[in-house]
């Protein structure tokens, strides 16, 4: 009997505490289906995704994790409530990893991490197992430190310099941690869903075998969906409007609108940190033509309602692996304008995903498309693309097939 341990995030609450994101969804779906494919599956909630929330949600959040696990035939191999007695403040706190490690004495046949979150990978390499692997679906692995300095300077141009310094320090820590993890030679394989992921970190140097999963994510798609003829305004959706999710690009774009004295109706959905609110307010405070509505975190149903009634969607994010925002936008017949962010290869020839290089080009592109009937963008190529990305069962089956191919 093969014993499998999965480490990953599960979206276990129905409130707005977990705004829908591609990484969180795909991890949750995998966890909900994995027990069908192995004799026994144990589950450790993600340190970065789930356990960092435990001090905030206390017992009720842990109860939700247990309910999710029981419903999906997953066994949690240690008492989650005992974590409440640990006085850890940071999710990089090595004490938490050491504590969980001390509770997991079994020797597993496979440990699989449903992301490349460094703390989860660090935990995985410290537990006995014949085989270890992970999937790359986020933006943790960004490459060499000098590249990351440029990356942060490019994306953090509108914020306090001290914030950038802190982020550079964090990136340096991550870079060192990843090298330590990969150099351990305890990770045997990585599944990737975007070829761009592999160009950012040379996993082959560490003898980590890689295979691609395509498609890598799914959405609900109804090809008979009645396209709204009353679409108006522009929407932008993000889990949080931070520099890494395009805050500085948003601010630059608003400044261009102000300089051109253009009228616009823009709705922002997602967490707006105080930093973002301040930056946006400073740009629009003396301009009556800019109608900016900030809705904060919404339920998934409310997000879709606003998305379907919008003429265009703007994805300001600086780096993506798959972009759930882009995929769900076109599945709801709202074209999305996205910056070149690493997803160009995935959305090649998909007309309603329109790529731009900078904020000036974004401004000109909106001018070109906004007053047109955009139904023509949704051709048969788009429908075929969406059909391929509308079956989670098939995606998870393919992922399991890849995982099992690494067994000796």
């Amino acid at each position: 009997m093969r014993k499998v341990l999965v480490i990953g995030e599960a979206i276990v609450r129905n409130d707005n505490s977990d705004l829908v994101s591609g990484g969180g969804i795909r991890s949750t779906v995998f966890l909900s289906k994995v027990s069908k494919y192995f004799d026994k599956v144990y589950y450790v909630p993600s340190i970065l995704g789930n356990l960092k929330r435990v001090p905030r949600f206390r017992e009720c959040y842990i109860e939700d994790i247990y309910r999710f696990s029981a419903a999906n035939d997953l066994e949690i191999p240690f008492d989650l409530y005992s974590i409440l007695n640990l006085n850890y403040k940071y999710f990089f706190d090595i004490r938490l990893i050491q504590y969980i490690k001390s509770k997991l004495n079994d020797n597993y046949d496979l440990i699989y991490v449903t992301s490349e979150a460094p703390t989860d990978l660090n935990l995985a390499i410290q537990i006995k197992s014949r085989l270890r692997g992970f999937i790359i679906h986020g933006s943790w692995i960004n490459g060499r430190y000098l590249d990351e300095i440029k990356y942060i300077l490019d994306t953090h141009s509108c914020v306090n310099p001290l914030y950038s310094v802190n982020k550079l320090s964090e990136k340096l820590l991550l870079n060192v941690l990843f090298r330590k993890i990969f150099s351990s030679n305890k990770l045997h394989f990585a599944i990737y869903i975007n070829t761009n992921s592999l160009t950012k970190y040379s996993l082959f140097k560490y003898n980590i075998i890689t295979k691609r999963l395509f498609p890598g994510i799914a959405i609900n798609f109804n090809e008979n969906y009645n396209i709204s003829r009353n679409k108006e305004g522009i929407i932008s959706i993000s889990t949080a409007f931070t520099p890494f999710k395009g805050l500085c690009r948003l601010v630059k774009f608003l400044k261009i609108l102000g300089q051109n004295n253009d009228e616009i109706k823009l709705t922002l959905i997602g967490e707006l940190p105080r930093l973002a609110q301040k930056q946006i307010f400073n740009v629009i405070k003396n301009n009556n033509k800019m109608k900016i509505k900030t809705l904060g975190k919404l339920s998934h149903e409310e997000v879709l309602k606003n998305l379907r009634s919008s003429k265009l969607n703007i994805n300001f994010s600086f780096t993506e692996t798959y972009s759930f925002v882009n995929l769900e936008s076109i599945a709801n017949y709202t074209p999305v304008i996205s910056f070149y962010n690493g997803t160009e290869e995935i959305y090649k020839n998909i007309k309603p995903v329109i790529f731009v290089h900078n904020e000036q080009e974004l401004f000109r592109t909106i001018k070109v498309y906004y007053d047109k009937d955009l139904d023509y963008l949704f051709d048969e190529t788009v429908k075929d693309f969406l059909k391929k990305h509308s079956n989670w069962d098939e995606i998870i089956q393919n992922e399991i097939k890849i995982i099992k191919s690494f067994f000796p």
Side-chain angles (χ1 to χ4, degrees):
M1 184 176 79
R2 281 180 172 156
K3 294 172 62 177
V4 175
L5 174 67
V6 181
I7 305 171
E9 179 179 8
I11 300 174
V12 295
R13 296 183 69 83
N14 295 320
D15 57 19
N16 294 341
S17 60
D18 290 297
L19 191 69
V20 172
S21 67
I25 287 176
R26 86 158 334 281
S27 178
T28 304
V29 174
F30 180 86
L31 285 162
S32 71
K33 298 178 181 294
V34 65
S35 64
K36 300 175 184 176
Y37 300 96
F38 294 102
D39 300 316
K40 184 67 177 178
V41 180
Y42 297 88
Y43 171 48
V44 172
S46 168
I47 295 172
L48 278 176
N50 288 103
L51 295 186
K52 73 174 183 178
R53 298 190 179 101
V54 167
R56 185 165 17 129
F57 289 104
R58 312 299 294 180
E59 289 85 355
C60 63
Y61 194 78
I62 294 178
E63 289 171 8
D64 289 335
I65 294 176
Y66 273 114
R67 272 195 292 269
F68 172 84
S69 301
N72 294 291
D73 201 19
L74 304 172
E75 182 176 326
I76 297 176
F78 69 100
D79 181 10
L80 288 181
Y81 290 101
S82 63
I83 293 176
L84 295 175
N85 299 322
L86 299 178
N87 186 27
Y88 76 94
K89 297 180 180 179
Y90 307 103
F91 53 77
F92 285 116
D93 196 325
I94 193 66
R95 290 177 301 166
L96 179 57
I97 295 174
Q98 292 297 331
Y99 177 78
I100 297 174
K101 174 191 172 184
S102 70
K103 299 295 181 181
L104 305 178
N105 298 318
D106 286 340
N107 195 342
Y108 297 93
D109 295 295
L110 165 70
I111 295 177
Y112 186 64
V113 185
T114 66
S115 77
E116 74 283 20
T119 46
D120 296 348
L121 292 178
N122 197 15
L123 174 62
I125 65 173
Q126 298 188 50
I127 303 171
K128 294 178 182 179
S129 182
R130 293 167 54 201
L131 185 67
R132 298 180 190 85
F134 64 102
I135 190 166
I136 304 171
H137 68 63
S139 305
W140 285 100
I141 300 177
N142 280 316
R144 294 173 297 179
Y145 186 55
L146 290 178
D147 293 336
E148 292 172 358
I149 291 176
K150 181 179 183 300
Y151 171 73
I152 288 178
L153 292 177
D154 286 345
T155 58
H156 293 60
S157 55
C158 67
V159 298
N160 188 310
L162 183 60
Y163 185 89
S164 296
V165 170
N166 290 337
K167 284 298 176 183
L168 284 171
S169 301
E170 183 182 294
K171 281 291 180 182
L172 175 59
L173 173 63
L174 282 173
N175 190 274
V176 171
L177 182 56
F178 273 125
R179 290 185 184 280
K180 177 184 175 183
I181 291 169
F182 295 149
S183 299
S184 70
N185 294 320
K186 292 183 177 180
L187 289 169
H188 305 100
F189 69 89
I191 298 173
Y192 64 97
I193 59 178
N194 183 347
T195 54
N196 185 57
S197 301
L198 295 186
T199 64
K200 291 184 176 182
Y201 217 110
S202 302
L203 296 181
F204 67 89
K205 292 191 306 185
Y206 305 97
N207 297 318
I208 297 174
I209 303 171
T210 59
K211 290 187 179 181
R212 188 182 189 188
L213 173 67
F214 185 89
I217 200 166
I219 35 75
N220 292 323
F221 168 58
N222 179 7
E223 61 180 315
N224 299 315
Y225 173 67
N226 184 23
I227 303 174
S228 171
R229 300 294 175 184
N230 300 314
K231 287 176 173 282
E232 63 173 3
I234 299 171
I235 196 170
S236 184
I237 304 167
S238 179
T239 49
F241 288 92
T242 64
F244 282 97
K245 288 295 183 181
L247 170 60
C248 296
R249 282 177 166 168
L250 168 61
V251 171
K252 288 180 184 177
F253 173 63
L254 293 178
K255 287 180 179 178
I256 291 172
L257 287 175
Q259 292 166 2
N260 287 272
N261 201 30
D262 254 53
E263 189 168 335
I264 188 172
K265 180 182 177 183
L266 175 63
T267 300
L268 303 176
I269 294 180
E271 183 180 345
L272 272 170
R274 187 175 302 173
L275 171 72
Q277 295 176 28
K278 182 179 179 181
Q279 293 292 332
I280 294 169
F281 175 76
N282 287 340
V283 174
I284 69 173
K285 60 183 177 182
N286 295 319
N287 191 320
N288 294 325
K289 287 194 172 183
M290 279 194 251
K291 309 297 183 184
I292 312 296
K293 186 191 296 184
T294 58
L295 300 182
K297 288 186 176 184
L298 297 178
S299 67
H300 190 216
E301 290 73 19
E302 286 296 316
V303 170
L304 293 182
K305 180 180 177 182
N306 282 274
L307 179 63
R308 288 167 181 162
S309 64
S310 300
K311 188 70 180 284
L312 288 170
N313 183 10
I314 302 175
N315 185 354
F316 287 100
S317 182
F318 197 86
T319 180
E320 296 286 336
T321 298
Y322 220 93
S323 186
F324 183 79
V325 169
N326 288 3
L327 188 59
E328 189 153 69
S329 186
I330 61 175
N332 288 279
Y333 293 93
T334 300
V336 56
I337 304 175
S338 181
F339 286 82
Y340 283 94
N341 57 14
T343 60
E344 305 83 62
E345 184 252 355
I346 289 173
Y347 293 99
K348 185 179 180 181
N349 300 323
I350 304 302
K351 293 177 182 177
V353 181
I354 305 154
F355 288 97
V356 297
H357 292 89
N358 53 52
E359 296 78 17
Q360 284 286 359
E361 188 178 348
L362 170 62
F363 175 73
R364 293 193 298 268
T365 303
I366 290 173
K367 288 284 190 182
V368 170
Y369 285 96
Y370 190 77
D371 292 324
K372 289 184 178 180
D373 183 344
L374 301 179
D375 290 0
Y376 76 94
L377 296 174
F378 296 88
D379 56 18
E380 289 303 314
T381 300
V382 176
K383 289 182 180 179
D384 290 343
F385 179 83
L386 289 170
K387 286 178 183 177
K388 289 179 182 177
H389 290 77
S390 61
N391 190 329
W392 269 120
D393 286 329
E394 188 173 320
I395 290 174
I396 301 303
Q397 285 172 14
N398 290 340
E399 187 173 353
I400 294 294
K401 187 182 298 184
I402 293 173
I403 292 171
K404 287 188 174 183
S405 72
F406 291 106
F407 278 110

